[in-house]
Amino acid sequence: MDVHGRIREILAETIREELAPDQQQLSTEDLIKALRRRGIIDDVMKELNFVTDSVDQELPSSPKQPVCFTDRQSTLLKKTNIDPTRRYLYLQVLGGKAFLEHLQEPEPLPGQVCSTFTLCLHFRNQRFRSKPVPCACEPDFHDGFLLEVHRESLGDGTRMADSTTMLSISDPVHMVLIKTDIFGETTLVASYFLEWRSVLGSENGVTSLTVELMGVGTESKVSVGILNIKLEMYPPLNQTLSQEVVNTQLALERQKTAEKERLFLVYAKQWWREYLQIRPSHNSRLVKIFAQDENGINRPVCSYIKPLRAGRLLDTPRQAARFVNVLGYERAPVIGGGGKQEQWCTLLAFLCRNKGDCEDHANLLCSLLLGYGLEAFVCVGTKAKGVPHAWVMTCGTDGTITFWESLTGHRYIHKPANPDESPVAEQPKPLYPYRTIGCVFNHQMFLGNCQPSDSVEICVFDLNDESKWKPMSEEAIRSVCAPGATTSLPPFPPLCASTIDASVTSNEIEMQLRLLVSEHRKDLGLTTVWEDQLSYLLSPALASYEFERTTSISAGNEEFQDAIRRAVPDGHTFKGFPIHFVYRNARRAFATCLRSPFCEEIICCRGDQVRLAVRVRVFTYPESACAVWIMFACKYRSVL
């Protein structure tokens, strides 16, 4: 519709027709009347459609993009699905300062790739991510996040939360700061729990605060930097509470939490004393009751696990195991030598960084398996050479014990060896890498191994037999680990769908690898001829490798072999080399491939009529995790 043109014509016509010689002007009402008479206004109203984002309503697990407001009027600039019957907390991050580690950092030139900071937020099942900003002493964060504040309890579902209701919502806003370097490697910089309820006692329901972020792990007492934050309730509160009421509520909650944690500590000490009295040798077993999180705070291990449902993002327990396996593995960083720095991450910090230690992987896998309705536990023990390790165990209803290795996705059935059999009898050699086991736990139970030997091979996993497994009181665990039991526990965030386009990423990596191979061969004085059809024929093999990793079933190999036999003429030789990565850096992957003599043989192939092929297939998983399969191949005429 050319609305403006039509309006102009009608107004010109109206003025000609209706402007009598004695009248000097027409009022706005007259003109509007004329437009309405000709049906223009009705047409315009029909054409207008108000767009709302329905994606978030269908996928509660997709990370919401920040919603931006202008400072003065609360007009929405970006489209978002604001429900006028709900209450929102509008959290603005208005820049940072005193990030002293980046004091010497030069100003990035336009177009230059530089390290960036990203802020990830989680509040009551909603997740947000800021735009990446260049690392600097005063990073230029300017983002607004619209957090819905809502009670899920029965009967409150449709009512807008008022001040008193909101005061009883003790969930903090969990903020995680991630640094991404120029190679795409991520580091956890800070993890902070923001107590947002101070806004309920401030005038006009608006408050500004400065938040000091502390480092993680060994640097948890060192300041990393300061963020300026502004909080605002939307719609504005009819009545604000007095600051005194808010402070009293927060103090009461802290007191209650501290008391529960003190009582649990007293109980845990008593339990440990009893455990040691069974056998003095128990002192050397890996019985882990507390573990430090990224902020150096001791938490009961059971609090790191909660049944977690993946919505529609993962379909089966084995697919969940594959997802956990493709999240990167990295031991907690330690300055200087001297053993392993222990750090169990909260789930948000682990997911945002996209990598973590074996305990983080085991905790996430156990939570997902519990979500699928399995009886799952995290086991703490050792691998070969006495290296401490954590893995997951599920107990079948028929008594089958299955070990799940969260770092590789492998599953092992445990068949206990009988220690009373004659030593001559052949004992089955276990396939799993685990040597000893000290304790098992999940969100409700904690059991210490009190069998004469802590060797996994002869361990009996009858968890109800108290002569073999010493249990902790489930009530004591519930008092500090049940959802909402204490304010110091962060609730679990939902998983987010992948933001990676699998086919685009596969193409990009493939193109980069072709370039790297051509350059490498050029340095060796060799020419490179690519054969696209041969590259395409490698696709089914990569798909079947990933299918096998996810389901433990091999399929489609016959067709692949048949296609290759038809594509390689008589008297020619075919060589192929598949390899698997969990990162998307082509240069790094190529360097790793060259270290393998098989792959190097293909890439540096010499001979008659050499044709090269490379195929890349990226399989995406939630949280931007991905499995990258690469296959290099060549065919050439065999000359004897």
Side-chain angles (χ1 to χ4, degrees), residues 3-239:
V3 179
H4 294 283
R6 286 178 61 188
I7 287 178
R8 262 191 226 103
E9 282 167 26
I10 286 167
L11 291 183
E13 197 183 302
T14 310
I15 288 170
R16 271 201 309 277
E17 285 175 7
E18 303 196 5
L19 199 56
D22 55 335
Q23 259 183 304
Q24 284 311 300
Q25 65 189 69
L26 283 169
S27 67
T28 317
E29 278 78 20
D30 296 336
L31 297 175
I32 297 251
K33 245 182 233 157
L35 290 174
R36 185 167 282 137
R37 205 165 50 235
R38 284 168 175 76
I40 284 279
I41 288 183
D42 290 344
D43 288 354
V44 171
M45 291 310 283
K46 265 189 222 127
E47 286 293 318
L48 284 180
N49 51 5
F50 298 95
V51 184
T52 56
D53 240 346
S54 60
V55 181
D56 278 6
Q57 293 158 1
E58 290 167 12
L59 292 173
S61 50
S62 67
K64 294 191 179 178
Q65 282 302 316
V67 175
C68 298
F69 284 100
T70 47
D71 269 356
R72 282 316 329 135
Q73 316 100 352
S74 293
T75 1
L76 281 172
L77 296 183
K78 283 193 181 174
K79 50 185 184 166
T80 178
N81 39 353
I82 275 206
D83 182 344
T85 63
R86 292 288 175 90
R87 180 83 67 193
Y88 294 90
L89 171 68
Y90 179 47
L91 184 152
Q92 293 177 78
V93 183
L94 305 169
K97 54 185 185 216
F99 283 77
L100 299 178
E101 199 167 304
H102 301 279
L103 197 56
Q104 304 299 324
E105 213 118 311
E107 280 286 305
L109 299 167
Q112 180 191 354
V113 179
C114 62
S115 301
T116 57
F117 280 141
T118 312
L119 200 58
C120 305
L121 272 72
H122 166 233
F123 177 67
R124 293 175 75 72
N125 230 29
Q126 304 158 70
R127 281 179 62 183
F128 300 85
R129 181 183 282 266
S130 74
K131 293 188 283 289
V133 300
C135 294
C137 182
E138 299 193 352
D140 188 25
F141 286 111
H142 273 281
D143 266 308
F145 307 99
L146 201 61
L147 318 178
E148 191 178 306
V149 186
H150 183 56
R151 287 295 288 189
E152 293 97 353
S153 61
L154 211 59
D156 282 347
T158 51
R159 278 217 314 268
M160 187 190 282
D162 58 11
S163 317
T164 9
T165 311
M166 289 193 287
L167 188 57
S168 67
I169 296 175
S170 60
D171 295 344
V173 178
H174 189 183
M175 305 167 77
V176 167
L177 185 63
I178 301 287
K179 177 185 172 182
T180 311
D181 69 11
I182 53 174
F183 305 109
E185 289 296 314
T186 53
T187 344
L188 178 63
V189 179
S191 168
Y192 183 82
F193 294 98
L194 174 71
E195 180 46 80
W196 56 276
R197 287 175 289 175
S198 55
V199 70
L200 301 174
S202 56
E203 273 183 69
N204 317 327
V206 181
T207 184
S208 296
L209 29 125
T210 50
V211 165
E212 184 179 22
L213 301 176
M214 306 306 265
V216 292
T218 44
E219 298 168 38
S220 58
K221 303 281 182 286
V222 183
S223 173
V224 174
I226 289 169
L227 289 181
N228 295 322
I229 287 176
K230 184 178 173 190
L231 299 172
E232 189 174 344
M233 294 313 302
Y234 177 86
L237 294 169
N238 303 332
Q239 68 192 79

Side-chain angles (χ1 to χ4, degrees), residues 459-615:
C459 185
V460 176
F461 287 95
D462 178 1
L463 301 180
N464 297 320
D465 185 345
E466 294 198 10
S467 67
K468 293 184 170 63
W469 294 92
K470 179 172 168 58
M472 262 196 181
S473 147
E474 288 190 28
E475 199 183 327
I477 292 170
R478 209 177 301 120
S479 73
V480 285
C481 297
T486 60
T487 54
S488 64
L489 283 187
F492 268 27
L495 293 182
C496 287
S498 178
T499 53
I500 294 168
D501 185 322
S503 45
V504 170
T505 314
S506 303
N507 269 342
E508 281 173 1
I509 298 174
E510 198 169 299
M511 286 305 155
Q512 289 169 348
L513 286 174
R514 280 192 172 201
L515 204 63
L516 290 164
V517 170
S518 301
E519 281 177 5
H520 186 74
R521 287 177 63 84
K522 194 175 172 186
D523 292 345
L524 299 171
L526 300 168
T527 57
T528 309
V529 184
W530 294 102
E531 189 174 311
D532 285 347
Q533 176 60 13
L534 186 59
S535 296
Y536 182 69
L537 295 186
L538 304 176
S539 296
L542 300 183
S544 77
Y545 297 149
E546 183 60 24
F547 183 71
E548 191 175 343
R549 287 286 176 105
T550 316
T551 59
S552 312
I553 300 164
S554 174
N557 208 15
E558 303 81 6
E559 293 89 338
F560 167 64
Q561 288 180 358
D562 199 46
I564 294 296
R565 283 197 190 100
R566 289 170 58 85
V568 179
D570 281 349
H572 282 64
T573 302
F574 170 84
K575 286 181 181 176
F577 177 79
I579 189 165
H580 163 258
F581 297 100
V582 294
Y583 50 78
R584 304 190 300 280
N585 184 330
R587 197 171 284 276
R588 186 175 153 197
F590 183 64
T592 309
C593 291
L594 281 177
R595 279 191 224 121
S596 156
F598 298 109
C599 189
E600 207 242 359
E601 204 177 290
I602 292 172
I603 290 170
C604 308
C605 179
R606 295 165 184 269
D608 184 21
Q609 297 179 24
V610 175
R611 297 290 179 269
L612 290 173
V614 62
R615 190 68 172 167

